Amino acid sequence: MKSNDPAITWVPEPKLGLAGKMYLPLVVQGLTVTTKHLFSPKMTVSFPEERPTIGNPLIYRGVHRLNKDEQGRVKCVACFLCATACPAHCIDIIGAESPWPDREKYPESFSIDELRCIFCGMCEEACPVDAIELTSLFDLTGRSREEMIFDKEKLLSVYDQTKDAEPSPMEREAAAR
């Protein structure tokens, strides 16, 4: 394509006045934004002394938990859909034959590498029995990489910590009836 091609529509460069040449409108616009933020409410909190508030904890994607059923058993049926859907490949499941008559399999071992996880929520979406869920816990700490790999017991303990504050979707439905 050549510059004198008739298919090209050339747009003339806008003429700037004295204020435009001195960038005055842009400077005023920047000072307005700065002044607005100077007098707006502060969003910074002194964590961990002060806990930040999360708008809607039910849609926040924090630490994972494994939900339990009404009988206190792990809800997971070891279908591997969460591990398959995980784009970070951070879920590791070893399935075994279930000792209970209501399901075929259960997770003999279930672990999530929280350092590898990108907290996308795909595992939660893929689970057919709502066994895995992301909570609003955000202060995830550990002294080693091994501590950040959450096994089944640790994931079930997160359920025990959060079950009253964050009921599972099925528990929310049952409470609404």
Side-chain angles (χ1 to χ4, degrees):
M1 182 176 289
K2 294 183 178 179
S3 63
N4 59 356
D5 190 343
I8 297 176
T9 304
W10 291 96
V11 179
E13 193 171 313
K15 302 283 184 206
L16 295 176
L18 181 62
K21 288 180 182 174
M22 295 175 61
Y23 301 104
L24 202 54
L26 297 174
V27 169
V28 170
Q29 187 180 11
L31 285 174
T32 304
V33 170
T34 302
T35 306
K36 189 175 101 185
H37 285 286
L38 194 64
F39 295 107
S40 65
K42 305 298 177 253
M43 303 301 260
T44 306
V45 293
S46 298
F47 183 81
E49 291 83 17
E50 188 179 340
R51 306 278 305 175
T53 55
I54 297 173
N56 184 359
L58 298 178
I59 60 170
Y60 185 81
R61 295 184 193 150
V63 177
H64 300 79
R65 74 178 185 188
L66 269 180
N67 289 331
K68 294 179 180 175
D69 63 6
E70 304 83 33
Q71 299 170 5
R73 305 173 302 182
V74 64
K75 243 180 173 178
C76 178
V77 293
C79 66
F80 298 91
L81 284 176
C82 57
T84 304
C86 179
H89 304 291
C90 65
I91 300 174
D92 186 40
I93 304 171
I94 298 174
E97 193 163 320
S98 170
W100 310 297
D102 60 339
R103 61 182 91 163
E104 291 179 19
K105 292 167 46 176
Y106 84 107
E108 186 177 73
S109 167
F110 192 106
S111 63
I112 298 178
D113 188 345
E114 297 285 346
L115 292 178
R116 185 181 252 187
C117 179
I118 58 173
F119 299 94
C120 65
M122 295 296 287
C123 54
E124 189 177 13
E125 293 291 323
C127 184
V129 293
D130 293 328
I132 189 168
E133 199 171 359
L134 296 166
T135 65
S136 65
L137 295 178
F138 55 84
D139 47 351
L140 190 63
T141 59
R143 294 188 184 132
S144 65
R145 297 186 76 74
E146 289 76 26
E147 280 186 26
M148 300 307 290
I149 297 174
F150 283 28
D151 60 358
K152 188 168 84 176
E153 287 73 30
K154 200 167 186 177
L155 291 166
L156 289 171
S157 73
V158 172
Y159 172 79
D160 292 335
Q161 289 175 11
T162 60
K163 68 181 177 186
D164 296 326
E166 300 174 31
S168 70
M170 291 179 69
E171 291 169 337
R172 276 182 252 145
E173 282 180 25
R177 290 183 209 156

